[in-house]
Amino acid sequence: MRPEFIIATILSALALTGCANDKTMHFVAGVAASKYVAKQTGSPLQGCTAALAGGLAKEVYDSQFGGVVDRYDAIATGAGCLYTIRF
């Protein structure tokens, strides 16, 4: 079994049971977006861009439709790209 599938399954179970907080879920969404885009394009930088853009888009959505706008949510989503970058 692929490690990404195992990690995604565990994190999804945590999210569905309510064991993960909001910032953790934003981080996980950033990891997923970044990993997917980086794998498709071969560019970790584009993966990071996708994670950050997703976080910003979610906050814009919240501002337009009555959600709670929190810049730290966008930061947590963007920080998910750290999973795909190797130093």
Side-chain angles (χ1 to χ4, degrees):
M1 216 180 262
R2 298 183 65 181
E4 294 90 8
F5 177 76
I6 294 169
I7 292 169
T9 303
I10 291 169
L11 292 175
S12 296
L14 287 173
L16 292 174
T17 60
C19 292
N21 69 25
D22 185 49
K23 300 298 183 275
T24 303
M25 295 310 301
H26 278 274
F27 182 80
V28 170
V31 168
S34 181
K35 185 73 172 168
Y36 178 78
V37 171
K39 186 171 183 172
Q40 294 299 314
T41 64
S43 171
L45 182 59
Q46 288 182 353
C48 281
T49 302
L52 186 55
L56 293 174
K58 171 64 169 72
E59 296 312 306
V60 168
Y61 177 86
D62 284 347
S63 73
Q64 298 296 315
F65 297 102
V68 176
V69 178
D70 183 0
R71 68 175 176 231
Y72 296 113
D73 286 349
I75 292 170
T77 308
C81 81
L82 296 175
Y83 181 78
T84 59
I85 293 181
R86 290 179 174 73
F87 295 99

